[in-house]
């Protein structure tokens, strides 16, 4: 088993588990949680990570859209399951889609776990049971696609499932959306992930959808898990799923949250005006569900303070703890100290966070950033009111584009900003204005400049502990003596943590090892860790000639 987190340290982490079988076989991807109001899917996928695989391998993504799960909402900006018909680059959901497509490229089959309203039926029976409902169905885009017989696979699984469900009203039904037909009633499915997997990757793909109108969550998870196991066996996967006890009540889960080093307990907490708000912690669970945990300030409901800094320049009423979207605690803030607005004789000083570190910029100044950096606009130093700071060209929220960009995670990605707001620059940098638009305050601004991320060299260490500096030659082949190497460091113009290495399309962490074998090409790819966009790629060729020269 291998666990890895893409986009770690951002507001949209993507946790992935690879489960390797005892014997070789097909590689199948299972994903849940693409829409945060569908609880069964992410619980089912998480439980599947505990299975024992005898043949084949699994790629499991339990929570594909953690921000929407934490808010128990179908979407935050856009529906992530409608972002696979083309390459988008507007919101964090599009970065997740980019990584999910990458994961799909390494799979030979795909199962998507959902939870829909009502009960699907090909004919209208009632308001809850008709062709416009999705619950209790196995969904396919076509009965047969090229030589992939999706209907046969699902019908066999449905027959086994229904034979063990005593309540016939809860039986599963095959739901063929006929996505590719000209007269399809479900054209939106052309944008879905199952359609992408089937049409673009050419692999079998289907969805297992239980009903939101069945209230017993534990029962739904068991049925969805059983359906997934039946389908995995259709793919040729041999596995065993251990017994589990599903918590009946999602509320009342234990957690360990520290705020400024003190445990968050009770109905209130004391904070100091103008001081940092530092949080850390986790959920305490024994069910194996490994939930998503967040601490939100009431004035910034989409910024998880467990992975983002905060300076309390302005007051907010409360802190809230959520575990997989279920509110576990809410603490009223007791504010200590009095802060009146400071004079701005020499102009305002803007406070921002750059990769978690505070930056102070005077009016007319510049915040220098590297492509892929994380930025949070905090406010004006010495101002006790909620300031309005507008990064021109950045859209913080698709639902409320008010020009208020304070308190949002901003990724320094010029391709993500509106081109018309990019300022002319003689040095080739991407420059944007950040404007103070607070009513009753003097209008002022500073600038954000973004330089492309570049790589100059890699620091490696061979098995004997000897250092080896390899010049980065993007797009080229570089000879290297066969050995086991540690990926020690990168010479770059930015933070190392903002570069994600891949060896032969397998993610590796800095400090991990990889092999260069004689006569074999090892593809080393570097991606932005916040956007998943490639920074560059280099091929290492294991050359015995170099090894022999060193031995002489």
């Amino acid at each position: 088993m291998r666990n890895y987190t893409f986009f770690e340290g951002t507001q949209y982490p993507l946790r992935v588990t690879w489960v390797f079988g005892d014997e070789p076989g097909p590689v199948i991807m299972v994903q849940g949680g693409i829409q945060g109001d569908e609880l069964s899917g992410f619980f089912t996928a998480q439980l599947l990570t505990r299975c024992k695989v005898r043949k084949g391998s699994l790629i499991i993504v339990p929570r594909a859209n953690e921000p929407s799960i934490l808010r128990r909402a179908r979407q935050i900006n856009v529906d992530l399951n409608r972002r696979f018909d083309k390459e988008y680059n507007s919101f964090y959901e599009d970065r997740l889609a980019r990584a999910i497509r990458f994961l799909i490229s390494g799979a030979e089959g795909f199962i998507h776990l959902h939870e829909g309203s009502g009960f699907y039926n090909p004919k209208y029976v009632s308001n809850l049971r008709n062709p416009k409902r999705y619950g209790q169905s196995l969904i396919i885009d076509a009965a047969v696609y090229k030589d992939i017989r999706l209907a046969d696979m699902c019908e066999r699984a449905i027959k086994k499932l229904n034979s063990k469900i005593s309540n016939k009203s809860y039986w599963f039904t095959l739901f063929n959306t006929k996505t590719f037909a000209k007269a399809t009633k479900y054209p939106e499915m052309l944008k879905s992930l199952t359609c992408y997997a089937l049409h673009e990757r050419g692999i079998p793909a289907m969805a297992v959808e239980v009903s939101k109108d069945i209230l017993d969550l534990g029962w739904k998870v068991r049925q969805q898990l059983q359906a997934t196991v039946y389908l995995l066996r259709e793919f040729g996967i041999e596995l065993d799923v251990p017994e589990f006890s599903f918590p009946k009540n999602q509320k009342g889960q234990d957690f360990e949250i520290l705020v400024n080093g003190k445990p968050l307990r009770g109905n209130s907490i004391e904070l100091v005006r103008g001081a940092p708000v530092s949080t850390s912690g986790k959920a305490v669970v024994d069910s194996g569900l490994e939930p998503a945990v967040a601490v939100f300030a009431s004035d910034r409901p989409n910024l998880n303070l467990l992975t983002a800094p905060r300076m309390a320049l302005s007051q907010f009423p409360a802190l809230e703890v959520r575990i997989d979207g279920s509110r576990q605690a809410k603490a009223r803030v007791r504010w200590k100290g009095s802060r009146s607005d400071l004079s701005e004789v020499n102009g305002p000083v803007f406070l921002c966070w750059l990769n978690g570190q505070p930056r102070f910029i005077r009016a007319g100044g510049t915040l220098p950033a590297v492509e892929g950096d994380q930025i949070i606009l905090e406010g004006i130093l010495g101002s006790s009111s909620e300031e309005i700071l507008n990064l021109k060209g950045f859209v913080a929220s698709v639902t409320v584009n008010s020009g208020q960009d304070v308190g949002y995670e901003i990724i320094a990605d010029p391709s993500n900003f509106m081109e018309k707001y990019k300022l002319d620059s003689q040095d080739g940098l991407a420059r944007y204005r950040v404007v103070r638009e607070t009513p009753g305050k003097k209008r002022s601004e500073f600038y954000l400049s973004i330089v492309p991320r570049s790589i100059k060299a890699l620091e490696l260490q061979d098995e004997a502990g000897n250092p080896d500096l390899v010049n980065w030659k993007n797009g080229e082949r570089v000879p290297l003596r066969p050995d086991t190497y540690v990926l020690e460091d990168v010479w770059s113009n930015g933070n190392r943590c903002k570069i994600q290495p891949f060896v032969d399309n397998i993610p590796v962490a800095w400090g991990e090892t990889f092999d260069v074998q004689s006569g074999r090409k090892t593809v080393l790819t570097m991606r932005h860790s916040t956007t998943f966009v490639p920074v560059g790629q280099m091929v290492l060729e294991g050359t015995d000639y170099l090894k022999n020269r060193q031995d002489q």
Side-chain angles (χ1 to χ4, degrees):
M1 178 186 292
R2 174 179 170 83
N3 296 306
Y4 198 86
T5 302
F6 296 104
F7 309 113
E8 190 168 20
T10 71
Q11 292 293 299
Y12 45 95
L14 185 69
R15 292 181 280 173
V16 184
T17 297
W18 286 263
V19 182
F20 305 105
D22 298 329
E23 299 178 17
V27 179
I28 308 300
M29 179 169 163
V30 181
Q31 178 175 281
I34 199 168
Q35 291 149 341
D37 60 345
E38 301 180 5
L39 280 63
S40 299
F42 56 82
F43 288 138
T44 299
Q46 188 67 62
L47 288 167
L48 191 65
T49 63
R50 302 167 59 195
C51 72
K52 166 68 175 176
V53 178
R54 300 189 303 277
K55 183 178 180 180
S57 298
L58 299 178
I59 304 170
I60 305 173
V61 183
R63 294 167 178 81
N65 192 348
E66 194 163 296
S68 73
I69 290 172
L70 289 169
R71 302 311 306 178
R72 289 280 173 99
R74 180 181 177 88
Q75 65 191 58
I76 300 298
N77 296 297
V78 291
D79 188 340
L80 177 52
N81 201 32
R82 299 293 182 266
R83 306 298 275 186
F84 293 95
D85 58 323
K86 63 180 182 179
E87 179 77 23
Y88 296 90
N89 189 30
S90 297
F91 304 103
Y92 83 84
E93 290 93 342
D94 301 325
R95 300 169 195 138
L96 290 173
R98 198 173 292 140
I100 291 167
R101 282 193 291 266
F102 167 82
L103 292 169
I104 284 276
S105 70
E108 299 165 67
F110 177 62
I111 301 172
H112 214 182
L113 306 179
H114 285 274
E115 186 173 354
S117 64
F119 303 84
Y120 170 75
N121 196 288
K123 296 182 179 180
Y124 188 93
V125 176
S126 66
N127 183 47
L128 279 180
R129 198 174 294 272
N130 60 65
K132 294 185 178 180
R133 300 294 186 173
Y134 283 74
Q136 296 306 103
S137 67
L138 267 60
I139 304 176
I140 55 177
D141 292 291
V144 179
Y145 185 81
K146 297 182 179 179
D147 60 344
I148 303 173
R149 307 187 68 82
L150 292 169
D152 290 346
M153 294 176 66
C154 290
E155 288 282 20
R156 287 191 291 267
I158 287 172
K159 184 177 180 180
K160 295 174 183 177
L161 269 173
N162 290 344
S163 68
K164 297 182 180 181
I165 300 175
S166 58
N167 187 345
K168 291 185 178 182
S169 63
Y170 288 177
W171 278 11
F172 285 83
T173 304
L174 181 64
F175 184 176
N176 181 2
T177 60
K178 301 179 181 178
T179 301
F180 308 108
K182 290 183 179 180
T184 180
K185 296 179 180 178
Y186 309 94
E188 72 278 2
M189 297 304 290
L190 287 167
K191 300 181 178 182
S192 71
L193 182 53
T194 52
C195 179
Y196 170 82
L198 181 66
H199 181 61
E200 297 295 331
R201 304 304 307 179
I203 62 175
M206 65 281 293
V208 180
E209 190 122 14
V210 294
S211 176
K212 291 180 179 178
D213 289 281
I214 297 175
L215 300 182
D216 189 339
L217 182 58
W219 186 89
K220 288 188 290 188
V221 169
R222 289 182 182 278
Q223 298 304 316
Q224 193 170 52
L225 184 59
Q226 188 61 70
T228 304
V229 169
Y230 287 146
L231 289 171
L232 287 172
R233 289 172 180 166
E234 288 285 333
F235 280 113
I237 299 287
E238 296 179 9
L239 75 165
D240 298 308
V241 179
E243 288 294 322
F244 65 91
S245 57
F246 192 83
K248 294 182 179 180
N249 184 11
Q250 293 304 303
K251 293 187 177 182
Q253 298 186 61
D254 198 11
F255 57 86
E256 295 174 350
I257 299 294
L258 299 179
V259 180
N260 294 337
K262 297 180 180 180
L264 180 61
R265 288 286 185 266
N267 297 320
S268 66
I269 186 170
E270 185 177 271
L271 297 177
V272 178
R273 292 182 180 89
V277 180
S278 175
T279 65
S280 62
K282 61 181 180 178
V284 180
V285 295
D286 57 7
S287 60
L289 295 177
E290 300 180 26
V293 186
V295 177
F296 295 114
S298 52
D299 63 337
R300 298 181 185 177
N302 291 317
L303 190 72
N304 185 357
L305 294 179
L306 289 177
T307 53
R310 176 76 190 262
M311 190 81 76
L313 298 182
S314 58
Q315 296 182 193
F316 51 87
L319 289 174
E320 180 179 277
V321 178
R322 284 179 172 258
I323 298 179
D324 274 336
S326 175
R327 193 172 79 181
Q328 302 297 316
K330 186 173 183 178
R332 177 179 56 84
V333 178
R334 306 188 314 274
W335 289 101
K336 180 181 178 181
S338 60
R339 287 184 61 85
S340 57
D341 288 359
L342 299 180
S343 172
E344 298 180 5
V345 175
N346 298 317
V349 176
F350 296 87
L351 171 58
C352 306
W353 300 93
L354 180 66
N355 299 324
Q357 298 300 314
R359 294 290 185 268
F360 304 95
I361 309 101
R362 290 194 175 276
T366 298
L367 174 65
V370 181
E371 185 181 358
D373 280 351
Q374 294 165 272
I375 300 163
I376 297 175
L377 305 180
E378 186 65 75
I380 302 290
L381 200 65
S383 173
S384 61
S385 60
E386 180 68 21
E387 295 281 349
I388 296 178
L389 303 183
N390 186 353
L391 170 55
K392 298 296 184 179
F394 171 71
V395 179
S397 171
V398 70
T399 55
V400 185
N401 187 17
S402 62
Q404 172 60 298
D405 296 329
V406 167
Y408 287 91
E409 181 178 59
I410 301 169
I411 303 301
D413 177 9
S415 66
N416 187 230
F417 299 163
M418 287 185 277
E419 181 68 22
K420 67 179 181 180
Y421 289 99
K422 184 178 178 181
L423 302 175
D424 293 333
S425 176
Q426 295 180 350
D427 53 12
L429 299 180
R431 297 181 73 242
Y432 304 88
R433 297 163 59 224
V434 181
V435 183
R436 183 189 197 182
E437 298 179 346
T438 310
K441 300 287 186 177
K442 184 179 179 180
R443 191 180 179 92
S444 57
E445 61 185 49
F446 71 95
Y447 299 94
L448 168 66
S449 69
I450 304 173
V451 62
R453 190 171 297 276
S454 62
I455 299 174
K456 296 181 179 179
L458 297 177
E459 288 186 22
L460 306 180
Q461 186 181 91
D462 64 19
E463 198 167 25
N466 300 311
D468 201 338
L469 186 66
V470 178
N471 290 328
W472 182 261
K473 298 180 179 180
N474 190 40
E476 297 186 20
R477 298 181 179 182
V478 177
L480 193 66
R481 67 183 183 279
D483 207 334
T484 296
Y485 290 93
V486 177
L487 198 57
E488 286 283 351
D489 207 348
V490 61
W491 289 17
S492 172
N493 61 340
N495 290 355
R496 183 183 74 173
C497 65
K498 293 297 180 286
I499 297 177
Q500 169 60 63
F502 291 78
V503 176
D504 292 334
N505 275 342
I506 297 173
V508 295
W510 296 104
E512 286 192 333
T513 62
F514 69 97
D515 293 327
V516 174
Q517 299 177 5
S518 177
R520 183 179 179 277
K521 298 175 182 177
T522 299
V523 180
L524 196 59
T525 305
M526 299 292 169
R527 293 178 180 268
H528 291 279
S529 62
T530 54
T531 67
F532 212 73
V533 172
V535 180
Q537 188 177 87
M538 189 168 68
V539 177
L540 303 177
E541 293 186 324
T543 305
D544 286 316
Y545 169 72
L546 294 175
K547 183 176 187 298
N548 294 335
R549 285 189 61 186
Q550 186 186 47
D551 291 341
Q552 291 175 357

